[in-house]
Amino acid sequence: MLADAAGDPLEGPPAAAATLHRSIGLVQLTMIGISAVVGTGIFFILGTSVPLAGPSVVISFVLAATVAGLAALCYAELAGVLPVAGSTYSYAYASLGEGMAYLVAWCLILEYGVSVSAVAVSWGQYVNELTDALLGFSLPSAIGQPPGAGGVVNIPALVVVLLCSALLARGTRESAVVNAVMVVVKLAALAMFVVIALTAFRAHNFADFAPHGLAGIGAAASGVFFTFVGFDTVATAGEEVRNPKRTVPLALFFTLAVVTVIYVLVSIAAIGAQPADRFGAQADAGEAVLAEILRDVTGMGWPAVLLAAGAVVSIFSIVLVTLFGQTRILLSMARDGLMPQIFQRVDRKRHTPVHNTWMVGLITGTLAALVPLKYLADLTSMGTLIAFVAVAAAIVVLRRLAPAARRPYRVPFYPVVPGLTAASCLYLAYLLPGITWALFAAWLLLAAVVYLLFGRRHSLLVNRPRSGARGLKLSATPAGTAAGPAPEQPPTGLV
């Protein structure tokens, strides 16, 4: 990704570029972004964020979206400079070195792996809501609710992760049509909620708008940031987009704008229909908050059933795609020698990393079954925020190391925007609870120990023969990303 002794700085392999067709337009790319974001947490996050900020959670969503937007600008430049890399791990590897990239990768494991667990927890809540409405029964709280909400082991959360693992291990393929259908299902369910909830809107529910002041708004913003996970998929599609200099930043902007409007409308409708002090109690009881609001507003069960059905479908698709992303991060690290080789073994018949998929599924499923939702959501936000700090740092480093590199899109107002991105992400991370910081520190300590005991010894970068060339080299790129031809790999199964 950087420069070979006789190569161009930051130039991807010509062969790779020639095989990709620029066929994605602005609308298609925006739909991809909306599909990746909506459904990550909006179906349950109000239960934990409204108690922090009250009705001003609306401002918290806007603040979180602003921070995500700054990070999106940085992603857009990196996606043009390193168009084949396609992940924060690869960006960090090219600019910050292997050690920092390894820590960033472990942050991404939090972002993807822990978010799978968090989303799976809410899936179980809506499944219970659906079965209770349709069949008249729900699982006992001990096995049907998350710990901290009356449960001991959340069996539905474990089941959905294992189902998705089985599908991915068999070689699931997602078509553009299926993706579009999922977007319609998600938006239709949320639109129905907004329309029905607004019929019971009461302005006095907003009277005590910010009961905890700016501190509450900021704390809620750091928590709801979890709901914006996934927008970076837009930036990584730059090589297949028509006119990427214009299309990628516009798609990032439209994705965040549409998602923010949806989240603000949902939160206004929810708080307008129900006093803010009821959200925390519903979340603590393991209830599907949005479905309960519809039930209370209409006095009938069918709106809650439709919303629960939409949530079940939506959340299932998010678990599937996010679990896929987690397995591919570990596969990429294994190809660089930074993870055990079992994570990169691809089944010859199914063309998927079967062992990798099942190991990730079992670990994330166990987390979903045993860890309270609040901790999972906050850890996801922490991993995402720190990864975005690395993206902002990569912009600055690559501007210095390769100033002449071709950049289809440049971050405006450099270096102010990367600086604001890093500062705002660190600010939101600072507002997360102390227990989240303690768990995150323990996680990074574990990452450092694994790197020193395993990663350094097996790293392809550390152990390759020295070429004698000085300065930055293409070989500092993760294997098989943008640094020249890597051994051909079988298709990984999800298209």
Side-chain angles (χ1 to χ4, degrees):
M1 250 178 246
L2 293 179
D4 194 53
D8 243 356
L10 302 167
E11 191 89 19
T19 61
L20 294 175
H21 177 56
R22 294 191 180 276
S23 60
I24 300 176
L26 177 60
V27 174
Q28 293 167 300
L29 191 59
T30 302
M31 289 292 283
I32 290 172
I34 295 172
S35 173
V37 178
V38 174
T40 307
I42 190 58
F43 287 100
F44 67 85
I45 200 66
L46 291 178
T48 58
S49 59
V50 173
L52 295 173
S56 63
V57 73
V58 175
I59 307 300
S60 299
F61 276 112
V62 175
L63 177 59
T66 302
V67 176
L70 290 172
L73 296 176
C74 297
Y75 263 103
E77 176 169 327
L78 288 178
V81 179
L82 311 172
V84 186
S87 77
T88 311
Y89 165 65
S90 299
Y91 300 156
Y93 207 122
S95 56
L96 305 178
E98 182 180 88
M100 286 300 299
Y102 190 79
L103 294 179
V104 168
W106 279 63
C107 291
L108 293 175
I109 291 172
L110 280 183
E111 176 183 344
Y112 284 88
V114 180
S115 68
V116 166
S117 303
V119 173
V121 170
S122 65
W123 188 82
Q125 293 172 341
Y126 279 97
V127 166
N128 265 334
E129 179 73 26
L130 192 60
T131 57
D132 182 58
L134 293 179
L135 306 175
F137 81 90
S138 57
L139 291 175
S141 295
I143 61 172
Q145 296 292 349
V152 177
V153 179
N154 191 339
I155 297 300
L158 176 61
V159 167
V160 70
V161 175
L162 294 182
L163 283 175
C164 290
S165 299
L167 286 173
L168 290 175
R170 287 176 60 85
T172 303
R173 290 182 175 269
E174 282 197 337
S175 68
V177 174
V178 172
N179 178 67
V181 169
M182 289 297 181
V183 173
V184 171
V185 169
K186 298 172 189 180
L187 298 184
L190 292 173
M192 181 194 70
F193 171 82
V194 170
V195 170
I196 294 177
L198 284 177
T199 63
F201 184 86
R202 294 175 176 84
H204 64 77
N205 287 349
F206 290 84
D208 189 9
F209 186 69
H212 305 295
L214 292 177
I217 294 174
S222 65
V224 303
F225 195 83
F226 164 76
T227 63
F228 290 92
V229 169
F231 77 88
D232 46 305
T233 56
V234 171
T236 62
E239 199 177 358
E240 299 170 81
V241 172
R242 296 192 298 268
N243 190 9
K245 184 175 181 179
R246 171 184 177 272
T247 302
V248 170
L250 280 179
L252 285 165
F253 172 78
F254 287 139
T255 294
L256 288 172
V258 170
V259 169
T260 303
V261 169
I262 292 171
Y263 289 174
V264 167
L265 286 175
V266 169
S267 57
I268 290 175
I271 297 170
Q274 173 177 282
D277 56 12
R278 291 188 57 189
F279 285 83
Q282 289 174 329
D284 291 341
E287 297 176 354
V289 175
L290 300 189
E292 288 300 315
I293 291 175
L294 289 186
R295 191 184 305 278
D296 292 342
V297 167
T298 63
M300 297 180 288
W302 66 265
V305 170
L306 290 180
L307 180 73
V312 166
V313 173
S314 171
I315 294 171
F316 185 92
S317 70
I318 291 292
V319 171
L320 182 70
V321 174
T322 309
L323 189 66
F324 169 84
Q326 174 65 93
T327 60
R328 271 50 181 184
I329 290 170
L330 291 171
L331 185 147
S332 178
M333 294 175 68
R335 286 177 178 170
D336 297 328
L338 299 178
M339 280 288 179
Q341 293 303 295
I342 190 172
F343 286 102
Q344 74 155 325
R345 292 177 188 167
V346 177
D347 184 88
R348 292 183 178 275
K349 181 179 179 181
R350 297 173 179 172
H351 304 300
T352 58
V354 174
H355 296 94
N356 179 345
T357 300
W358 278 113
M359 290 172 68
V360 170
L362 288 171
I363 293 172
T364 56
T366 301
L367 287 174
L370 299 177
V371 179
L373 176 60
K374 170 65 175 173
Y375 298 145
L376 294 173
D378 285 346
L379 276 172
T380 300
S381 291
M382 176 68 83
T384 306
L385 288 166
I386 300 304
F388 288 171
V389 172
V391 169
I395 289 288
V396 176
V397 171
L398 290 180
R399 285 283 187 103
R400 287 178 173 272
L401 297 181
R406 180 179 166 277
R407 290 175 170 83
Y409 172 79
R410 285 178 172 266
V411 168
F413 306 111
Y414 175 86
V416 174
V417 168
L420 281 177
T421 301
S424 57
C425 287
L426 290 173
Y427 172 69
L428 290 185
Y430 167 75
L431 294 175
L432 288 168
I435 183 63
T436 304
W437 274 97
L439 292 172
F440 182 66
W443 179 255
L444 290 188
L445 180 61
L446 176 62
V449 170
V450 174
Y451 179 69
L452 293 175
L453 295 181
F454 179 87
R456 289 287 295 176
R457 296 182 181 181
H458 298 84
S459 166
L460 298 184
L461 174 63
V462 171
N463 294 296
R464 66 176 172 79
R466 297 291 180 179
S467 65
R470 295 184 176 271
L472 303 170
K473 306 175 181 67
L474 275 167
S475 54
T477 303
T481 52
E488 185 175 352
Q489 300 290 341
T492 48
L494 189 64
V495 175

